[in-house]
Protein backbone atom coordinates (compact mmCIF):
# COMPACT_ATOMS: atom_id res chain seq x y z
CA UNK A 1 0.00 0.00 0.00
CA UNK A 2 1.51 3.31 -1.06
CA UNK A 3 1.09 6.45 0.99
CA UNK A 4 1.19 9.73 -0.85
CA UNK A 5 2.06 12.96 0.95
CA UNK A 6 -0.25 15.62 -0.36
CA UNK A 7 1.00 19.07 0.62
CA UNK A 8 -1.34 22.00 0.94
CA UNK A 9 -1.92 23.95 -2.30
CA UNK A 10 -0.11 26.91 -0.75
CA UNK A 11 3.17 25.05 -1.28
CA UNK A 12 2.92 25.15 -5.05
CA UNK A 13 5.14 28.26 -5.35
CA UNK A 14 7.94 26.75 -3.25
CA UNK A 15 8.77 26.85 0.41
CA UNK A 16 8.73 30.35 1.86
CA UNK A 17 8.79 31.74 -1.67
CA UNK A 18 12.29 30.41 -2.37
CA UNK A 19 13.89 27.06 -2.94
CA UNK A 20 12.45 23.79 -1.88
CA UNK A 21 12.23 22.29 1.61
CA UNK A 22 14.88 19.75 0.61
CA UNK A 23 17.30 22.64 0.03
CA UNK A 24 16.91 23.95 3.60
CA UNK A 25 18.75 22.70 6.64
CA UNK A 26 15.62 23.29 8.77
CA UNK A 27 12.03 23.12 7.56
CA UNK A 28 8.94 24.29 9.42
CA UNK A 29 5.84 22.22 8.69
CA UNK A 30 2.53 23.79 9.72
CA UNK A 31 -0.82 22.05 9.92
CA UNK A 32 -3.03 24.33 7.85
CA UNK A 33 -6.24 22.47 8.72
CA UNK A 34 -6.02 23.03 12.50
CA UNK A 35 -9.12 24.52 14.04
CA UNK A 36 -9.11 27.15 16.76
CA UNK A 37 -9.97 26.54 20.43
CA UNK A 38 -13.71 26.75 19.73
CA UNK A 39 -13.46 23.83 17.27
CA UNK A 40 -15.26 25.80 14.56
CA UNK A 41 -15.17 24.42 11.03
CA UNK A 42 -14.96 27.96 9.65
CA UNK A 43 -12.50 28.50 6.80
CA UNK A 44 -9.87 29.65 6.40
CA UNK A 45 -8.85 27.85 9.56
CA UNK A 46 -6.45 29.29 12.14
CA UNK A 47 -3.79 26.83 11.02
CA UNK A 48 -3.72 28.51 7.63
CA UNK A 49 -3.13 31.88 9.34
CA UNK A 50 -0.26 30.34 11.34
CA UNK A 51 1.29 29.01 8.12
CA UNK A 52 1.00 32.45 6.50
CA UNK A 53 2.55 34.17 9.53
CA UNK A 54 5.44 31.69 9.52
CA UNK A 55 6.05 32.25 5.80
CA UNK A 56 6.09 36.00 6.28
CA UNK A 57 8.54 35.69 9.19
CA UNK A 58 10.80 33.41 7.11
CA UNK A 59 10.91 35.77 4.14
CA UNK A 60 14.51 36.35 3.08
CA UNK A 61 15.88 33.52 5.23
CA UNK A 62 16.98 30.02 4.37
CA UNK A 63 14.19 28.52 6.50
CA UNK A 64 11.63 26.64 4.43
CA UNK A 65 7.96 26.69 5.46
CA UNK A 66 5.48 24.10 4.25
CA UNK A 67 1.81 23.64 5.03
CA UNK A 68 0.20 20.20 5.22
CA UNK A 69 -3.41 19.22 5.61
CA UNK A 70 -3.07 17.42 8.96
CA UNK A 71 -0.37 16.58 11.49
CA UNK A 72 -2.78 14.41 13.51
CA UNK A 73 -2.33 16.42 16.72
CA UNK A 74 -5.92 17.62 16.90
CA UNK A 75 -6.25 17.58 20.70
CA UNK A 76 -3.39 20.11 20.92
CA UNK A 77 -4.67 22.24 18.01
CA UNK A 78 -2.58 24.56 15.93
CA UNK A 79 0.36 22.29 15.43
CA UNK A 80 3.66 22.59 13.65
CA UNK A 81 6.92 20.72 13.44
CA UNK A 82 10.58 21.58 12.99
CA UNK A 83 12.62 19.16 10.92
CA UNK A 84 16.41 19.37 10.67
CA UNK A 85 18.46 17.35 8.23
CA UNK A 86 20.42 14.85 10.33
CA UNK A 87 18.77 16.10 13.52
CA UNK A 88 15.80 15.36 15.70
CA UNK A 89 12.33 16.42 14.54
CA UNK A 90 10.00 18.25 16.91
CA UNK A 91 6.20 18.45 17.03
CA UNK A 92 4.54 21.35 18.84
CA UNK A 93 0.93 22.01 19.74
CA UNK A 94 -1.15 24.63 21.54
CA UNK A 95 0.14 27.30 19.16
CA UNK A 96 -1.74 30.41 18.05
CA UNK A 97 -1.86 32.15 14.66
CA UNK A 98 0.45 34.78 16.16
CA UNK A 99 3.25 32.23 16.76
CA UNK A 100 4.57 32.26 13.18
CA UNK A 101 7.58 34.41 14.11
CA UNK A 102 8.25 32.15 17.12
CA UNK A 103 8.38 29.10 14.85
CA UNK A 104 10.92 30.84 12.64
CA UNK A 105 12.97 32.00 15.66
CA UNK A 106 13.06 28.38 16.83
CA UNK A 107 13.99 27.19 13.34
CA UNK A 108 16.85 29.70 13.16
CA UNK A 109 18.11 28.63 16.58
CA UNK A 110 17.94 25.00 15.43
CA UNK A 111 19.75 25.81 12.16
CA UNK A 112 22.53 27.71 13.97
CA UNK A 113 23.40 24.96 16.44
CA UNK A 114 25.82 22.27 15.32
CA UNK A 115 24.02 19.81 17.61
CA UNK A 116 21.23 17.57 16.31
CA UNK A 117 18.84 18.83 19.02
CA UNK A 118 16.93 22.08 19.41
CA UNK A 119 18.48 23.98 22.34
CA UNK A 120 16.15 24.65 25.28
CA UNK A 121 17.83 27.96 26.14
CA UNK A 122 16.74 30.65 23.71
CA UNK A 123 13.73 28.69 22.50
CA UNK A 124 10.53 30.81 22.37
CA UNK A 125 8.16 30.02 25.25
CA UNK A 126 5.50 28.49 22.99
CA UNK A 127 8.12 25.99 21.81
CA UNK A 128 8.95 25.08 25.41
CA UNK A 129 5.45 24.56 26.76
CA UNK A 130 3.96 23.31 23.49
CA UNK A 131 6.34 20.40 22.91
CA UNK A 132 4.38 17.27 22.01
CA UNK A 133 7.12 14.94 20.76
CA UNK A 134 10.64 14.77 19.47
CA UNK A 135 11.60 12.12 16.95
CA UNK A 136 15.18 10.94 16.47
CA UNK A 137 16.84 10.86 13.07
CA UNK A 138 16.86 7.35 11.66
CA UNK A 139 20.62 7.12 11.93
CA UNK A 140 20.36 7.26 15.74
CA UNK A 141 17.80 4.45 15.94
CA UNK A 142 19.19 1.06 16.88
CA UNK A 143 17.95 -2.28 15.67
CA UNK A 144 16.41 -4.05 18.69
CA UNK A 145 17.85 -7.45 17.64
Amino acid sequence: MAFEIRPDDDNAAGAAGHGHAYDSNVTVIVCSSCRGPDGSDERPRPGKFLATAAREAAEGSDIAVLAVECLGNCKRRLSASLVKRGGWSYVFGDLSPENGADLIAGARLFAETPEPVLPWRGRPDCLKRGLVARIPPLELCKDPS
Side-chain angles (χ1 to χ4, degrees):
M1 175 181 194
F3 180 76
E4 181 182 353
I5 298 173
R6 298 192 52 137
D8 189 293
D9 287 341
D10 289 343
N11 296 325
H18 57 77
H20 189 278
Y22 294 117
D23 297 333
S24 296
N25 188 34
V26 175
T27 300
V28 176
I29 302 171
V30 180
C31 177
S32 65
S33 62
C34 279
R35 295 179 168 116
D38 64 357
S40 167
D41 200 27
E42 186 176 326
R43 294 205 184 247
R45 292 197 175 154
K48 192 152 193 133
F49 293 119
L50 177 59
T52 299
R55 280 196 182 98
E56 289 172 358
E59 198 63 43
S61 77
D62 62 348
I63 304 297
V65 178
L66 298 175
V68 295
E69 230 357 84
C70 183
L71 286 176
N73 190 34
C74 302
K75 289 189 186 240
R76 300 274 307 264
R77 300 182 202 259
L78 283 171
S79 299
S81 64
L82 299 182
V83 179
K84 180 176 182 174
R85 186 175 297 132
W88 289 69
S89 296
Y90 292 80
V91 179
F92 301 97
D94 302 321
L95 299 170
S96 73
E98 294 78 31
N99 290 135
D102 293 326
L103 286 170
I104 302 309
R108 284 187 174 125
L109 178 66
F110 202 12
E112 291 167 0
T113 183
E115 302 299 321
V117 296
L118 176 63
W120 184 260
R121 184 166 285 152
R123 190 186 296 187
D125 285 340
C126 67
L127 301 185
K128 288 180 178 179
R129 67 183 179 316
L131 180 63
V132 173
R134 68 180 195 156
I135 303 151
L138 291 175
E139 10 345 312
L140 291 183
C141 295
K142 295 181 175 146
D143 186 355
S145 55

